[in-house]
Amino acid sequence: MSTPLKLTALLLTVSMLSACGSGGGGADGGNPVDPPPVDPTPTRDSSIAQKVEFAEKGTPTVMKWVHDPKSGAYFEMPASNNTYTAVGTPWTRVKNCSNGVCVQIDRLAGNDIGLVQYTHGGQDFIYDLTGKPVANVALPSGQYNGPMELRYRRTSNDQWELGTGDMGILLDMAKGEALMGGIVDYKASDGHIGSIEVYADATVQNGELVDQSAEIQVDENRTDEQYLTGEINGILSHGTNADAIIGTVNGASNSGFQVSGGFISTSCLPSVCDH
């Protein structure tokens, strides 16, 4: 091959290599590589803000607290369901799940104070509060009711189980106190369905509700009961046309029995409380 033809072939080869890339992606010639996407799914150790951001990707549902006059039971359900009449003012629930993790927030419309529930399977969970209490908030004194759930286990070697029920609160803003009584269902060690009851005389101050010596009573087998020392932390919330007391419950006994959960008790509707 003559020299001009060799030069032409060499130039064509270099041109083709340049078009295809060198394959090495050197510091001065390779295309930038996007970093791998960050998994947005929070862990139990993630900040409350991260959990809230994750939950808010879900679709909000308006919830209500209702009473079944036939069975006498109280329970929560979507407000769009007209089967039962509400006994408390509605609240908003937003929930999002991904990769086995679910984060749920219960709060009033028009207020960012809420109960945050993080779950990853049945054994990894945490209840927390979001939003800052307002020092001069003045909720109407009176009756507040709503759903409460408690997770419990008898010893640190046992699996956590879930009990659901309700929390009732009688708020007295003038005295700065709240008398509290709640109950959830409980599967006792002998298999029968008993209850876990929560009683407190909480102090209300600067928009918060606190009782660090609440009494938690566990009905083990109808005759044998045990008592736990509990702690309740709550926030008074004033939303759009509604009021609520939102809080967490934690407790433990010397024998290793543990409970952890939360509640949202909304203002009782006048049509119910005035009768």
Side-chain angles (χ1 to χ4, degrees):
M1 183 183 290
S2 65
T3 300
L5 289 175
K6 288 180 179 180
L7 181 58
T8 301
L10 178 61
L11 291 174
L12 286 172
T13 302
V14 172
S15 176
M16 290 174 65
L17 286 173
S18 298
C20 294
S22 64
D28 59 347
N31 294 324
V33 178
D34 293 331
V38 177
D39 185 0
T41 307
T43 67
R44 64 174 290 114
D45 297 323
S46 298
S47 68
I48 297 177
Q50 289 174 304
K51 293 170 183 168
V52 169
E53 181 181 4
F54 175 79
E56 288 181 338
K57 295 177 182 177
T59 302
T61 302
V62 178
M63 305 294 294
K64 64 180 178 180
W65 187 239
V66 302
H67 177 238
D68 179 4
K70 292 184 178 180
S71 66
Y74 290 85
F75 50 91
E76 63 184 47
M77 68 189 314
S80 58
N81 188 323
N82 296 318
T83 305
Y84 300 99
T85 302
V87 296
T89 52
W91 73 95
T92 300
R93 170 172 295 167
V94 61
K95 183 176 183 178
N96 187 33
C97 297
S98 178
N99 300 324
V101 168
C102 291
V103 181
Q104 172 181 295
I105 307 175
D106 288 311
R107 59 191 172 194
L108 296 178
N111 197 309
D112 64 347
I113 294 171
L115 174 66
V116 181
Q117 178 188 154
Y118 167 94
T119 57
H120 183 194
Q123 302 304 306
D124 186 15
F125 65 89
I126 191 168
Y127 294 86
D128 222 323
L129 297 172
T130 183
K132 294 182 179 180
V134 179
N136 61 350
V137 65
L139 265 58
S141 295
Q143 185 177 338
Y144 293 75
N145 295 89
M148 176 174 69
E149 66 174 48
L150 295 178
R151 294 179 187 267
Y152 61 88
R153 62 180 178 181
R154 298 174 187 86
T155 71
S156 59
N157 295 322
D158 292 331
Q159 297 286 300
W160 288 96
E161 298 186 59
L162 176 64
T164 58
D166 62 274
M167 170 64 81
I169 303 173
L170 186 59
L171 177 67
D172 189 328
M173 290 297 294
K175 294 182 178 179
E177 67 178 20
L179 302 178
M180 308 177 67
I183 186 171
V184 302
D185 57 278
Y186 163 67
K187 186 177 180 180
S189 55
D190 65 358
H192 92 274
I193 301 301
S195 63
I196 299 178
E197 301 169 23
V198 180
Y199 300 100
D201 186 355
T203 299
V204 178
Q205 188 175 12
N206 296 325
E208 296 182 275
L209 176 151
V210 179
D211 189 340
Q212 296 181 332
S213 57
E215 180 182 291
I216 301 176
Q217 177 180 318
V218 182
D219 169 22
E220 273 291 346
N221 55 17
R222 304 183 192 277
T223 58
D224 184 20
E225 299 174 341
Q226 64 170 305
Y227 297 87
L228 289 65
T229 300
E231 180 175 343
I232 294 177
N233 291 284
I235 303 178
L236 277 58
S237 174
H238 177 66
T240 304
N241 301 320
D243 298 291
I245 302 172
I246 303 169
T248 58
V249 180
N250 291 282
S253 71
N254 294 331
S255 64
F257 199 109
Q258 295 174 275
V259 299
S260 180
F263 61 87
I264 173 169
S265 296
T266 62
S267 49
C268 187
L269 289 173
S271 59
V272 177
C273 294
D274 291 347
H275 290 78

